[in-house]
């Protein structure tokens, strides 16, 4: 078992330097292949001496094949281990930096030593500071554990390769056809034996901090290799870097498309073979079942089209600037479907906004929601935030109808996923901490509110657009300073019909399950301007559903306001 004291002294440079010398030796050996084949096929020599000579040549060939395999195995393992050690060194650096920043020390045995809070901590804050320090200590222990696990895995793998080489067990060259020998083929076999395994990620359900602790110990090459080889392990992981999650999810979107197409083909077969009368009609008693199959087929067609639209959207020139690139951070075609798409790299951006769509949002319509994300991204840049990422987060099952949107269950089922996603953005971000914003629209505000109320969100600002209620009566109940809570609702938005006014004394009307609209002055947050909104027509100018989706119209005050908030300015 590798100790913390040992791993802090690891250095990848000697192994990485050795790769060049080993490679030069390997190239010299492989160049002998043609000469060996010529020696082994001498013409006109027969008898006992010729047989003895042939046996000697075969032994030479077998020996060189084994040598080529061993050198190739050493070259591969030295390169892989040198690269892997660079990842472990990065993990050590992150642990020690986090420890120093919060007055902790890591002992030689890997123990986390708490040197106490700053001496000037106010008395009334000591309890909260103690809780925060306990959380940091737990994260440090996780990070130390992941570093040591990866280091031990590397050490064990390298020792195994070296043991094979020393004991001559890299390949068995005696079974090869020496008449057609290829030292390069022997080298390829040896190289395969010298490859380094990648430590297994934390189990499904691990926290973003635990995922990030593991991820920090991998080199970029290991991360990319894992994303390519096991995309299902990388694509959905909060705390992993956006670049590799994008690589993984671009593979998974193809898998999801194929799975849905196979499901559609089976369903179409059922429809085609469905029992009918002699005249080709569906029997009356079977009509409901048949209609249900047709509805399922239509839903599948919509999801497949949604996936195709999303796949088209993420196809970009590789030279696209990082601030304009799309990063696919999640894809799931089950049920109504889920997807998460960032414009701009959230791991490097100074301003990172997560937009949560509301009622009727699903995979079929996801790219329409992502267009709103694009517009907010552009509005933030126009407001001065040049380094920006806006994420369209449909990581939950949104209500299918306005009637369903009166239930808190959708928010209850999705709040943990959004909370974890926000934690992951903090963990995977590089450089100075980013300015993070949670933006909800319609029922999306309800989900954001429930996540903030029940666990606290790792964001600096919250924005509620056309909210039916966020699960609390007052902004201070969202575990964030009320002056960082913003909301807007158009006068003619039909959502106003769902929000009951407050009674005198500040109590909400009974029967409103989601709470008051946060634009209510008594809520305690800030508001920003929206257009009046399109009416339903007629002299009464009734509220309309159209107004509910107009907040992202170009040059609208609401879009400008959201852009300003993302940019860290007042709307």
């Amino acid at each position: 078992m590798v100790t913390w004291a040992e791993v802090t002294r690891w250095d990848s440079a000697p192994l990485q330097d050795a790769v060049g010398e080993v490679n030069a030796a390997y190239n010299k050996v492989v160049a002998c292949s043609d000469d060996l084949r010529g020696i082994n096929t001498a013409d006109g020599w027969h008898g006992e001496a010729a047989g003895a000579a042939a046996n000697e040549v075969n032994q030479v060939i077998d020996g060189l094949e084994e040598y080529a395999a061993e050198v190739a195995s050493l070259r591969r393992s030295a390169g892989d281990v040198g690269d892997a050690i660079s990842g472990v060194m990065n993990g050590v650096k992150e642990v020690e930096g986090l420890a120093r920043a919060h007055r902790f020390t890591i002992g030689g045995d890997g123990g986390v030593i708490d040197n106490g809070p700053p001496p000037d901590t106010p008395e009334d804050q000591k309890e909260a500071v103690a809780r925060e320090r306990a959380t940091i200590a737990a994260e440090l222990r996780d990070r130390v554990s992941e570093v040591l696990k990866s280091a031990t895995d590397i050490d064990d793998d390298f020792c195994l390769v070296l043991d094979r080489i020393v004991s001559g067990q890299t390949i068995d060259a005696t079974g090869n056809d020496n008449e057609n020998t290829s030292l390069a083929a022997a080298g390829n076999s040896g190289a395969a034996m010298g490859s380094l395994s990648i430590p297994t990620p934390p189990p499904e359900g691990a926290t973003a901090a635990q995922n990030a602790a593991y991820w920090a110990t991998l080199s970029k090459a290991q991360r990319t290799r894992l994303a390519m080889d096991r995309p299902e392990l990388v694509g959905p992981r909060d705390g992993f870097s956006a670049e590799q999650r994008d690589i993984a999810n671009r593979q998974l979107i193809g898998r999801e498309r194929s799975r849905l197409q196979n499901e559609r083909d089976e369903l179409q077969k059922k429809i085609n073979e469905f029992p009918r009368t002699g005249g080709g009609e569906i029997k009356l008693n079977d009509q409901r079942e048949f209609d249900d199959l047709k509805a399922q087929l239509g839903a599948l067609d919509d999801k497949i089209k949604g996936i195709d639209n999303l796949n088209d959207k993420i196809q970009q020139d590789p030279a696209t600037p990082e601030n304009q690139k799309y990063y696919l951070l999640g894809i799931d075609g089950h049920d109504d479907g889920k997807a998460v798409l960032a414009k701009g790299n959230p791991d490097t951006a100074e301003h990172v906004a997560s937009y949560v769509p509301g009622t009727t949002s699903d995979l079929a319509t996801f790219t329409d929601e992502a267009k709103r994300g694009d517009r907010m991204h552009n509005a933030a840049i126009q407001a001065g935030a040049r380094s920006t990422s806006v994420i369209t987060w449909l990581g939950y099952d949104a209500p299918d109808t306005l009637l369903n949107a009166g239930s808190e269950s959708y928010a209850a089922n999705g709040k943990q996923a959004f909370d974890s996603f926000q934690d992951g953005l903090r963990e995977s971000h590089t450089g100075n901490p980013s300015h993070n914003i949670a933006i909800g629209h319609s029922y999306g505000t309800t989900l954001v509110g429930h996540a903030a109320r029940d666990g606290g969100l790792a964001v600096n600002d919250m924005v509620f657009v056309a909210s039916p209620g966020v699960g609390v009566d007052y902004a201070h109940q969202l575990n964030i300073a009320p002056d960082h809570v913003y909301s807007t609702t158009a006068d003619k938005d039909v959502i106003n019909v769902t929000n009951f006014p407050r009674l005198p004394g500040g109590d909400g009307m009974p029967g409103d399950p989601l709470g008051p609209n946060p634009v209510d002055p008594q809520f305690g947050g800030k508001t920003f301007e929206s257009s009046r909104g399109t009416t339903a027509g007629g002299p009464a100018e009734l509220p309309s559903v159209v107004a509910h989706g107009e907040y992202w119209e170009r040059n609208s005050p609401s879009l400008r306001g959201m852009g300003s908030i993302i940019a860290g300015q007042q709307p």
Side-chain angles (χ1 to χ4, degrees):
M1 177 70 181
V2 179
T3 68
W4 185 259
E6 290 170 339
V7 80
T8 56
R9 297 194 299 270
W10 277 16
D11 183 0
S12 62
L15 279 173
Q16 291 172 333
D17 291 343
V19 171
E21 297 181 15
V22 176
N23 187 56
Y26 174 74
N27 289 336
K28 290 179 180 178
V29 174
V30 171
C32 297
S33 286
D34 291 339
D35 293 337
L36 289 175
R37 281 194 292 271
I39 292 173
N40 195 42
T41 57
D43 295 329
W45 189 14
H46 305 284
E48 186 176 341
N55 287 335
E56 288 293 328
V57 169
N58 282 333
Q59 291 182 33
V60 171
I61 293 173
D62 288 344
L64 282 175
E65 286 178 330
E66 290 173 357
Y67 182 67
E70 290 165 358
V71 173
S73 185
L74 179 61
R75 178 186 63 175
R76 172 68 180 272
S77 61
D80 282 2
V81 170
D83 179 69
I85 287 176
S86 68
V88 169
M89 291 165 62
N90 179 67
V92 170
K93 180 180 177 181
E94 287 197 6
V95 170
E96 293 183 335
L98 181 63
R100 281 194 304 271
H102 295 281
R103 294 173 55 85
F104 287 89
T105 305
I106 310 300
D109 61 351
V112 177
I113 302 167
D114 188 346
N115 298 313
D120 58 349
T121 302
E123 189 67 31
D124 62 345
Q125 295 182 19
K126 285 186 176 180
E127 185 177 346
V129 169
R131 289 196 299 269
E132 181 184 3
R133 294 186 68 76
T135 301
I136 294 169
E139 181 173 350
L140 285 170
R141 285 191 290 270
D142 284 342
R143 286 183 174 270
V144 167
S145 176
E146 288 296 338
V147 167
L148 293 178
K149 186 171 72 173
S150 291
T152 300
D153 189 80
I154 292 168
D155 190 60
D156 290 346
D157 274 7
F158 198 26
C159 286
L160 181 61
V161 172
L162 294 178
D163 285 345
R164 287 199 194 105
I165 292 173
V166 171
S167 61
Q169 296 180 355
T170 303
I171 64 167
D172 180 10
T174 60
N176 292 343
D177 174 15
N178 288 342
E179 290 289 337
N180 300 288
T181 187
S182 170
L183 296 182
N188 291 339
S189 298
M193 297 290 286
S195 63
L196 185 70
S197 66
I198 298 176
T200 304
E204 186 177 351
T207 65
Q210 290 169 332
N211 288 333
Y214 161 80
W215 201 242
T217 68
L218 303 184
S219 69
K220 183 175 181 180
Q222 286 179 307
R223 294 174 179 181
T224 301
R225 177 178 153 199
L226 190 63
M228 296 293 292
D229 293 346
R230 300 296 301 277
E232 70 281 357
L233 292 180
V234 176
R237 290 276 181 150
D238 298 325
F240 284 9
S241 54
E243 181 179 352
Q244 277 75 30
R245 289 183 71 174
D246 178 64
I247 291 172
N249 284 311
R250 284 173 187 261
Q251 294 188 74
L252 293 178
I253 194 173
R255 292 187 186 181
E256 285 295 276
R257 213 268 184 207
S258 296
R259 183 184 64 78
L260 290 173
Q261 185 62 52
N262 289 337
E263 189 177 334
R264 187 201 184 282
D265 292 343
E266 288 297 318
L267 191 58
Q268 184 67 65
K269 182 179 179 182
K270 286 184 180 180
I271 292 173
N272 293 343
E273 297 175 352
F274 199 87
R276 289 172 166 79
T277 66
E281 302 296 327
I282 304 298
K283 296 177 182 179
L284 184 61
N285 290 341
D286 294 338
Q287 190 64 50
R288 178 175 294 182
E289 180 183 354
F290 182 77
D291 290 345
D292 183 60
L293 290 176
K294 294 287 285 185
Q296 292 179 45
L297 186 69
L300 276 173
D301 284 338
D302 289 342
K303 277 198 289 187
I304 291 172
K305 184 177 180 180
I307 278 189
D308 289 342
N309 290 339
L310 176 56
N311 197 39
D312 289 343
K313 186 176 183 67
I314 62 177
Q315 303 307 314
Q316 289 182 291
D317 188 322
T320 302
E322 186 178 50
N323 193 44
Q324 295 291 328
K325 280 185 179 179
Y326 287 113
Y327 294 82
L328 186 60
L329 304 182
I331 183 67
D332 183 358
H334 293 88
D335 301 321
D336 287 344
K338 300 178 179 69
V340 183
L341 181 67
K343 184 164 189 179
N345 189 345
D347 291 345
T348 58
E350 294 178 15
H351 305 274
V352 181
S354 299
Y355 161 58
V356 183
T359 303
T360 72
S361 300
D362 55 23
L363 184 57
T365 62
F366 179 79
T367 52
D368 293 333
E369 300 293 346
K371 289 176 184 176
R372 294 176 175 178
D374 292 347
R375 290 189 177 184
M376 286 185 281
H377 183 269
N378 187 55
I381 291 175
Q382 290 181 357
R386 297 296 176 187
S387 178
T388 299
S389 174
V390 175
I391 303 161
T392 302
W393 188 88
L394 185 60
Y396 80 116
D397 179 26
D400 293 328
T401 66
L402 291 175
L403 184 62
N404 292 339
S407 170
E408 292 183 289
S409 63
Y410 298 90
N413 292 334
K415 64 185 179 182
Q416 181 57 46
F418 188 63
D419 186 17
S420 175
F421 182 75
Q422 293 305 312
D423 288 343
L425 292 178
R426 289 296 190 198
E427 293 288 349
S428 63
H429 196 271
T430 60
N432 294 328
S434 55
H435 167 231
N436 286 17
I437 313 95
I439 302 173
H441 173 235
S442 188
Y443 195 89
T445 68
T446 308
L447 182 139
V448 172
H450 281 64
R453 178 195 71 187
D454 296 339
L457 283 174
V459 298
N460 305 98
D461 294 298
M462 297 178 194
V463 181
F464 301 131
V465 180
S467 177
V470 298
V472 299
D473 289 333
Y474 303 102
H476 68 80
Q477 296 171 314
L478 295 169
N479 293 305
I480 192 174
D483 61 349
H484 287 270
V485 177
Y486 300 88
S487 58
T488 190
T489 300
D491 290 343
K492 295 302 177 180
D493 189 335
V494 73
I495 200 70
N496 289 307
V497 177
T498 71
N499 294 116
F500 299 106
R502 289 178 176 275
L503 291 172
D507 293 328
M509 286 285 289
D512 189 346
L514 305 184
N517 190 327
V519 298
D520 186 330
Q522 293 186 51
F523 187 78
K526 292 184 174 182
T527 61
F528 60 102
E529 183 184 2
S530 289
S531 298
R532 183 166 175 265
T534 299
T535 68
E541 293 192 325
L542 296 174
S544 75
V545 174
V546 175
H548 192 58
E550 292 182 327
Y551 298 91
W552 290 269
E553 293 295 313
R554 298 185 189 280
N555 299 317
S556 65
S558 52
L559 180 59
R560 290 196 300 271
M562 285 183 273
S564 295
I565 295 168
I566 294 171
Q569 303 171 8
Q570 291 299 313

